[in-house]
Amino acid sequence: MRSVKSLLAAGAATLFSTCAFAADLPIAPPPMYAPPPPADFGGWYLRGEIGFSNQRTRDVHYTRESAYSQLTSFNQTSAFDTAGIYGVGVGYRFNNWFRADITGQYRGNSNFKGTDRFTGTAGGLAYNGIDNYSASKSEWLVLANAYVDLGTWWCVTPFIGAGVGGARVTISNFTDTGINNLPFTTASFASAPSASKWNFAWAAHAGLAYQVNPNLVLELAYSYVNMGEGRTGVLSDYVGNTTGNYFKFKDITSHDLKLGVRWDLDTPPPPPMMPLIRKG
């Protein structure tokens, strides 16, 4: 009996000493929480857009200046029809407020109508006349653009931007039908083949972007575009006679309205989860 009691006492002493030793050990602190790194807003994106143009030209002018030298009054009206715009591009977002892209647009055929009304003198005789012009115009437009996003409210981000590049302006199917009222009435007709010209171009942009999901953004945008000058081929009359001159379309500008889409290729990963700490 005594040996059993001795064994129990020895076991209890060992247990108490072990507990006391464990109580003396330092308590490991809980793992520290590290905040997630700031979100990386950078990344490549693709874009596409469709829209329509509202175009103007400051002046349609014949290059033989002597044709205007005897005029005493001159008035010109002109207008382009609305035409479609189709564009694609690739860009890079540098942070959450600045991005840039390169875009290419095909701007479809826009029909042109113009009229000159004038009076003048020739050989001491006064006369008046009218010239009616028709043509079609199209462009290829390449721009390098930069944009500033102005903040986001309810997934909508207004933005402004600007672009510079080049425009290839093509004037086709040009005709000039005229009537001059001298002591007797004369009629004239001339036409010109298609011709293209590359110009410096620039644009100003403004719009609204809507974040559909982390990858997809829709845009409703306005652009003012200046595409420089267009020109016809060499003008000839109905029997083929020519003086080697042509018409210039000066300062071609457009007010564009477009609907676009941007697809982000580099979606930032979600932030790391906060470590789970159990109590007790």
Side-chain angles (χ1 to χ4, degrees):
M1 179 64 73
R2 179 174 295 180
S3 61
V4 174
K5 290 182 178 180
S6 299
L7 290 173
L8 292 174
T14 302
L15 178 61
F16 286 132
S17 65
T18 301
C19 291
F21 177 75
D24 292 336
L25 292 175
I27 300 175
M32 295 184 62
Y33 169 68
D40 178 12
F41 289 94
W44 294 96
Y45 63 84
L46 300 176
R47 65 174 299 132
E49 59 191 6
I50 58 173
F52 58 88
S53 63
N54 181 12
Q55 303 176 91
R56 293 179 175 84
T57 181
R58 180 173 60 85
D59 183 30
V60 179
H61 198 83
Y62 191 44
T63 54
R64 183 165 63 86
E65 293 296 334
S66 61
Y68 301 92
S69 61
Q70 296 178 332
L71 299 184
T72 56
S73 69
F74 180 81
N75 178 64
Q76 183 176 93
T77 59
S78 63
F80 289 99
D81 291 342
T82 296
I85 299 171
Y86 315 92
V88 295
V90 60
Y92 189 83
R93 172 175 287 282
F94 293 89
N95 51 45
N96 63 344
W97 62 271
F98 180 74
R99 56 189 169 86
D101 57 37
I102 296 176
T103 57
Q105 286 183 353
Y106 173 71
R107 305 168 65 89
N109 279 317
S110 174
N111 293 324
F112 171 80
K113 298 292 183 183
T115 299
D116 289 346
R117 291 180 172 85
F118 51 88
T119 59
T121 58
L125 299 175
Y127 69 91
N128 60 76
I130 184 171
D131 277 307
N132 291 313
Y133 308 121
S134 67
S136 61
K137 180 179 66 66
S138 62
E139 299 94 14
W140 287 97
L141 177 66
V142 179
L143 292 174
N145 308 284
Y147 309 89
V148 174
D149 292 336
L150 304 178
T152 300
W153 295 268
W154 299 286
C155 299
V156 177
T157 302
F159 64 86
I160 57 175
V164 294
R168 183 178 186 268
V169 180
T170 300
I171 306 294
S172 306
N173 306 315
F174 183 85
T175 62
D176 173 8
T177 303
I179 297 176
N180 293 330
N181 294 315
L182 292 162
F184 51 89
T185 299
T186 62
S188 63
F189 175 82
S191 63
S194 299
S196 300
K197 184 177 184 296
W198 276 101
N199 307 299
F200 172 76
W202 61 271
H205 312 292
L208 300 173
Y210 178 74
Q211 188 83 41
V212 178
N213 59 46
N215 289 95
L216 182 63
V217 178
L218 299 181
E219 283 186 2
L220 180 63
Y222 161 84
S223 295
Y224 174 82
V225 186
N226 187 306
M227 293 171 287
E229 176 185 283
R231 61 177 59 179
T232 69
V234 173
L235 209 69
S236 58
D237 64 18
Y238 66 96
V239 294
N241 297 323
T242 181
T243 59
N245 292 281
Y246 54 89
F247 273 88
K248 291 182 179 181
F249 288 63
K250 298 182 177 180
D251 293 334
I252 299 171
T253 60
S254 183
H255 299 271
D256 298 344
L257 187 63
K258 300 171 292 181
L259 180 64
V261 60
R262 298 200 314 263
W263 181 260
D264 292 332
L265 301 178
D266 300 309
T267 303
M273 296 181 62
M274 182 174 177
L276 181 63
I277 300 176
R278 295 184 180 272
K279 295 184 179 180

